[in-house]
Amino acid sequence: MLAISSELPIVDCQLIRFGVISEEEARRRILETVSPLDERAVPVAAALDCFAAEDYFARLPLPAFDNSAMDGYAVVASSCKKGGRLRVIGEQPAGPDRKLCVGGGEAVRIFTGATLPQGADAIVMQEDVTRHGTDISVNVDVEAGEFVRRCGCDLAEGQMILARGDRIRAATVALLASQGFADVIVGGKATAAVISTGDELVKAGEELQAGQIYDSNSALLGALLQRCGVSATVVEHCRDDRKSLDDAIKRGIKNHVLIISGGVSVGEHDLVKEALHEVGAKIEIWRVAVKPGKPFLFGWFESETVDSAGDTPAGPTGTMPVLHKCFVFGLPGNPVSAFVTFLQFVRPAILRMMGAMNLDLPQVPAKLAVGLTSDGDRPHYIRGRLEHGKFMPFGRQESHALFGLSQANALLRVGVGQSLKADQIVDVQIWD
Ligand code: AMP
Ligand code: MG
């Protein structure tokens, strides 16, 4: 039950009408509310972990021309028998095509990546020949195609190399570069602010008094944001009083995403809902049937700003009013609850804003090391270790147990009433 003390401002009825909703509904409503940010062009070298906003197709085949896979000699295989002697008629290093032509009884000295001379259909490794001045004798049998990298054998011109919504990985960056793309069009860049609330919180480096704890959620949420490719532009700590919370929220909502940790539960010191409501945020969700993380909150705030470019005359004033939307996530203060709700609700929303197609955490099958039964009324995310295909719950399964979480590398969702047996194959979520 929501307790309201007489000193607190009267709570608007909007705040009381919330029922606990299912995880699936929460996720659906969040993903329906958030939308992709404006696309942008970034240099390929800076596109790591961005999401492609267009489909990309090969402009060039790979390899782009027939070339040598070895340092050696380009030959005509049919005239190159073990023990035979060939005359070396020229040299083709990697680089400009010297347009050499090789015939029977001849060889061209060649190096890795160099264009295959006309007429040649095989390369003999330099280790397999003996050099005698301008001749070589061949010490092996040679077959057509040996050590030749044929044009297009890896990738054909026009083949899709990157699909809209795909994450750009290190090798994708290389592939785009191999095609001569200087820039790539990717999803928008989200900015995020993190506010940690709580009178008990102390910043790292400061001295702890009795009853105080260090703020670990700011660090946790900053790290989880980084994993999504977003760096928190603002990280603030504020006390459980409305003035500092209101001020911090007003600063935070200038970003695309505002994450507030703590103060979203039902105690008298949980002021986040009222504060958000007061600044005009629309609260869509408060409380989700998930363990840990039930007090999770989601809402959004919209404001009119002026386009900073200002040089695109759109009206009499010459400035363009732009609607700025900030999506607000209130996560419970307990570190494991903050972690689980971030991964289940905040991460997919941010990925959607950034133009990602796949919003799910990677899942891998694992053999359950012990039997597990859920007797609660909410799905339970069990933290554990996934090692050699086996999942073992690890540490205390309570929402404050940060050490256990730090040792875990996988989450197992146990549904309401679900009973899982030892050795059963289950899907676990991974995040690192
Ligand atoms: P709250 O959600 O504000 O009721 O906090 C629930 C629990 O989480 C309390 O034990 C808090 O002390 C703890 N907590 C809240 N914020 C943080 C934080 N930033 N870092 C570590 N623990 C926190
Ligand atoms: Mg608190």
Side-chain angles (χ1 to χ4, degrees), residues 83-267:
R85 220 169 157 107
L86 303 172
R87 193 161 53 85
V88 181
I89 55 149
E91 182 172 299
Q92 174 65 67
D97 184 356
R98 293 185 176 171
K99 311 258 185 229
L100 298 176
C101 195
V102 66
E106 295 175 340
V108 165
R109 177 72 172 125
I110 198 163
F111 301 90
T112 306
T115 311
L116 195 70
Q118 235 182 46
D121 61 3
I123 307 293
V124 198
M125 284 202 297
Q126 68 185 43
E127 292 86 337
D128 289 336
V129 306
T130 310
R131 183 95 193 213
H132 315 275
T134 56
D135 282 6
I136 52 169
S137 53
V138 181
N139 305 326
V140 290
D141 282 326
V142 178
E143 280 181 32
E146 263 179 14
F147 302 119
V148 173
R149 305 195 285 211
R150 286 288 172 204
C151 174
C153 70
D154 180 23
L155 173 73
E157 189 183 331
Q159 199 175 325
M160 187 185 277
I161 55 170
L162 178 62
R164 178 187 170 85
D166 278 356
R167 186 165 71 84
I168 296 176
R169 301 173 302 132
T172 326
V173 168
L175 185 60
L176 289 165
S178 80
Q179 298 294 310
F181 287 103
D183 294 327
V184 55
I185 311 294
V186 297
K189 188 179 174 67
T191 64
V194 173
I195 302 173
S196 276
T197 71
D199 284 345
E200 72 279 35
L201 300 181
V202 173
K203 272 194 219 153
E206 291 176 8
E207 207 173 309
L208 280 185
Q209 306 296 329
Q212 295 184 318
I213 59 168
Y214 286 117
D215 168 15
S216 59
N217 284 352
S218 301
L220 172 72
L221 296 168
L224 289 170
L225 280 166
Q226 266 184 52
R227 271 271 171 275
C228 299
V230 175
S231 61
T233 43
V234 185
V235 178
E236 291 201 46
H237 164 243
C238 79
R239 303 184 65 78
D240 288 319
D241 74 66
R242 276 291 303 275
K243 171 85 180 86
S244 58
L245 193 52
D246 289 2
D247 291 347
I249 288 175
K250 281 180 195 151
R251 288 188 288 273
I253 55 180
K254 292 181 182 146
N255 294 277
H256 299 114
V257 173
L258 169 61
I259 303 176
I260 307 176
S261 119
V264 285
S265 195
V266 293

